[in-house]
Structure formats: C-alpha cells, structure tokens
Amino acid sequence: MEKFALDYADFAEYDRRQRAIQRHVLAAFLGGVVVGFIGALVAPIDPGIYDPYVYFALPILVGATASGFGWALLATFLAVVTTLVAAMGGSALRGDLGFDAIGDTAVGLNILVAHLVVLGLLAYVTRRRDLWGDLATGIISGLLLGDIIDRATPGGLDWHAGFWPAPALGLAGLALLSLIALRRTTAGRLRAAVVACVVTGALAGALLAL
C-alpha cells in the first residue's frame, strides 16, 4: 500500500497564516472602534485634522497590511463601519443623536464611506512592486494632497479656518513621506510622485472651476 508523507511544516504555515488573518481582522475592528469613538469626542474642537485625516489613515493602514485583496476589502469595510458606529455612539454620549457624526451630511457620509474603502483597496495594491503599485501610491498621495488644498483654500468646499498654514503644511509633509515609505525604489517613488502631481493638479483645477 502506497504511503503518503504529511508535511507538517505546511500545516503549521497554513495555521500561522490563518491566525495572522484573524488577528488582522480583529485589529481592524478594534481600530475602528477606537478611532471612531475618539473622533466623536474631539469633534467639537477638531479644526479639520482628526476628521477626516485620521479616518483616512486607518483604512490605508488596514489595506496595506492585509494578506489578500479579498481580506483587504473585508477588513477595510469592517474598520469603516465600526468607525461610523463608534462615532455615532460617541456623539450620542455628547447629546448629539444625529447620524452625521462623520461626513457632516448623509450624502457626505456615503461619499466618505466609499472613499475610505477605495483608499484601503488602493493601499493593498501599493504592496505590488510594479507600475500598479506606483500608480496606487500616487493616487493615494494625490487624493490626500488635493483634500488638503481644498481645506486650506478660502472658499473651498471643505474650507476650515485656521487649517492654514501649520496643519496644512504638516499633513502635506506626511502625505509626501507616506509616498516615500510605500515605495522601495527611487524610480518607483518618482513615478508615484508624478501620478500624485497629476491627481493633485486635477483636483485643484476642479476646485477652481467650482
């Protein structure tokens, strides 16, 4: 009778992978709870920094650390939903029973949810070492820079008084540093920077047109 040898190392590796996925999903859930709850508490004094940039940072981190595209979608969506629920709960503790704790309005909330999930998926793509990874990195950085310009420009759709200069410049620096951190080669960083400039310019042009 033919005997089959079992490679227990493969089973151990599979088990470690499954446990890592479980920990990642759990961390996304807990991260959403913490970020959303704190965001609701600091909302009355937030000059447009925590909301939305910390909310942006969470799905980017979750997506960039996911083990697969499907897991990135699941974990990012879970983090976003728990963030919203926690933010609503925190707002209720402050006496605000509205459902627009994030995004200002119902329409803004829906747009923000889609935005956050897309950011998470783009962050997962940044793990690739090819042109797709450069493109995803540039889009993320460009979206962040475009949003910063909008909030720092008087008359912008989301303009916040006091956002310029220190908060705007600091966040712009972080967006550029994230571009460098997400790419491993100089060529990749340059390509991502070109994409970021194109996206930022397009968003700035749309802002001027509006």
Side-chain angles (χ1 to χ4, degrees), residues 85-121:
V85 173
M88 293 174 186
S91 296
L93 292 178
R94 294 190 290 105
D96 181 5
L97 300 180
F99 292 94
D100 53 357
I102 303 177
D104 297 329
T105 64
V107 175
L109 175 62
N110 293 331
I111 294 175
L112 182 59
V113 170
H115 192 177
L116 293 176
V117 173
V118 169
L119 279 178
L121 296 180

Side-chain angles (χ1 to χ4, degrees), residues 104-200:
D104 297 329
T105 64
V107 175
L109 175 62
N110 293 331
I111 294 175
L112 182 59
V113 170
H115 192 177
L116 293 176
V117 173
V118 169
L119 279 178
L121 296 180
L122 285 172
Y124 173 74
V125 179
T126 63
R127 298 177 59 173
R128 297 174 61 101
R129 299 185 181 182
D130 55 11
L131 292 175
W132 289 109
D134 301 336
L135 178 63
T137 302
I139 292 175
I140 290 176
S141 183
L143 289 174
L144 292 176
L145 291 173
D147 192 83
I148 290 168
I149 292 174
D150 179 29
R151 293 174 188 275
T153 303
L157 298 177
D158 296 305
W159 176 66
H160 282 266
F163 189 71
W164 176 267
L169 293 176
L171 289 168
L174 288 177
L176 294 175
L177 287 176
S178 66
L179 183 149
I180 296 174
L182 289 172
R183 306 319 296 152
R184 300 184 180 183
T185 65
T186 301
R189 291 166 181 166
L190 291 176
R191 288 190 292 266
V194 171
V195 174
C197 290
V198 172
V199 173
T200 303

Side-chain angles (χ1 to χ4, degrees), residues 50-94:
Y50 194 99
D51 179 2
Y53 297 106
V54 176
Y55 298 129
F56 288 170
L58 177 63
I60 291 175
L61 178 61
V62 170
T65 54
S67 60
F69 186 84
W71 290 115
L73 176 60
L74 173 63
T76 301
F77 183 75
L78 180 62
V80 171
V81 170
T82 52
T83 298
L84 298 178
V85 173
M88 293 174 186
S91 296
L93 292 178
R94 294 190 290 105

